[in-house]
Amino acid sequence: AVMPGLLLGDEAPNFEADTTQGRIRFHDFLGDSWGILFSHPRDFTPVCTTELGRAAKLAPEFSKRNVKMIALSIDSVQDHLSWCKVRALGGPQGQLVLLPCSKGCRKCPCRLGGTSVASQSVAVLKCRAGMGRVFSIFMEHPTKSRVFVFGPDKKLKLSILYPATTGRNFDEILRVVDSLQLTAYKKVATPVDWKPGDSVMVVPTLPDEEAKKLFPKGVFTKELPSGKKYLRYTPQP
């Protein structure tokens, strides 16, 4: 039988695996943090190389948001070791990112501005026996790339599927994380094209009187032809 992929609200499997940061158990790795897992179709794909370079560069931004990143690829350990020699240009200052891919990569000069990528940014899982169930879940579309965002409760909050020819937009991933974290703790939703600092929407289940108390900066309603006043906005709390 084919193992179905994760659905929103599902709990992440608590797998154990070797990574560039040593052996981990996934739930322990996340701890009380948010987590992002990136799946990659295979090693030596040029699009994925640029993505991990970008992820390493943005590691401080994700860290500010209490987000841990981990990447998953499907090829052999030997391929991971060879991919470790690949360099991707990262950042306007031209820092060189050497992608870490397995435990053996500890011997490689993995550096981003003098800081080890393996220890500071993206942990990369290596394929091993016993990981079949994990791969069947996270690599449901083995020729495509996915982004999984998990909350501190270890449940899936967002999943995006990309074709292998389209690089993931990390600015959008950061924006989505900001929205997920804001809406997880406040009774608001974020409207189309929302960016941090923009007004947000009051959730429909919140009565007007309670909304006024909860959002002292004020609640305003957008006028609609129907006359219904369900588009309620407030400055971002």
Side-chain angles (χ1 to χ4, degrees):
V2 177
M3 178 74 68
L6 287 176
L7 301 176
L8 294 184
D10 286 353
E11 185 173 283
N14 191 20
F15 60 85
E16 189 173 346
D18 292 325
T19 77
T20 51
Q21 296 182 11
R23 192 162 183 82
I24 67 164
R25 186 174 291 277
F26 191 50
H27 286 196
D28 294 338
F29 169 79
L30 291 180
D32 61 358
S33 300
W34 291 67
I36 297 181
L37 188 147
F38 307 100
S39 70
H40 296 283
R42 58 176 302 175
D43 295 351
F44 299 108
T45 52
V47 173
C48 291
T49 299
T50 64
E51 289 176 331
L52 285 200
R54 177 69 169 156
K57 184 193 171 193
L58 288 175
E61 289 298 320
F62 285 103
S63 180
K64 281 183 202 174
R65 294 161 171 80
N66 192 30
V67 177
K68 292 182 178 179
M69 294 188 290
I70 191 164
L72 174 67
S73 190
I74 66 173
D75 283 320
S76 68
V77 172
Q78 187 57 49
D79 281 338
H80 286 337
L81 290 171
S82 298
W83 198 26
C84 187
K85 299 174 184 176
V86 176
R87 292 187 177 190
L89 189 64
Q93 289 78 37
Q95 302 106 318
L96 288 174
V97 179
L98 187 62
L99 302 179
C101 304
S102 75
K103 286 178 71 176
C105 283
R106 293 175 183 169
K107 299 178 182 179
C108 297
C110 301
R111 294 287 184 268
L112 172 64
T115 302
S116 169
V117 174
S119 64
Q120 297 296 327
S121 54
V122 186
V124 183
L125 294 173
K126 92 174 173 183
C127 181
R128 56 180 286 115
M131 285 287 287
R133 177 172 176 267
V134 172
F135 276 85
S136 68
I137 291 173
F138 290 127
M139 305 298 291
E140 184 183 10
H141 301 277
T143 62
K144 297 177 175 63
S145 304
R146 299 198 75 156
V147 177
F148 300 89
V149 179
F150 298 98
D153 59 0
K154 316 302 184 291
K155 292 183 179 178
L156 183 64
K157 306 302 181 183
L158 176 134
S159 174
I160 309 174
L161 177 66
Y162 287 80
T165 52
T166 300
R168 284 165 273 202
N169 186 325
F170 279 77
D171 292 329
E172 169 62 6
I173 294 171
L174 281 172
R175 187 192 77 91
V176 166
V177 168
D178 285 334
S179 173
L180 289 172
Q181 293 184 339
L182 176 64
T183 59
Y185 306 121
K186 304 291 183 180
K187 294 184 178 181
V188 297
T190 56
V192 63
D193 295 333
W194 174 87
K195 298 183 295 298
D198 291 350
S199 293
V200 296
M201 306 183 82
V202 180
V203 294
T205 54
L206 194 65
D208 287 337
E209 289 305 313
E210 188 176 344
K212 290 176 183 177
K213 295 177 183 177
L214 200 57
F215 304 112
K217 293 181 181 179
V219 176
F220 59 95
T221 304
K222 185 172 182 178
E223 297 298 326
L224 298 172
S226 65
K228 295 183 178 181
K229 299 184 181 296
Y230 67 97
L231 294 185
R232 299 179 297 169
Y233 293 83
T234 188
Q236 179 180 325

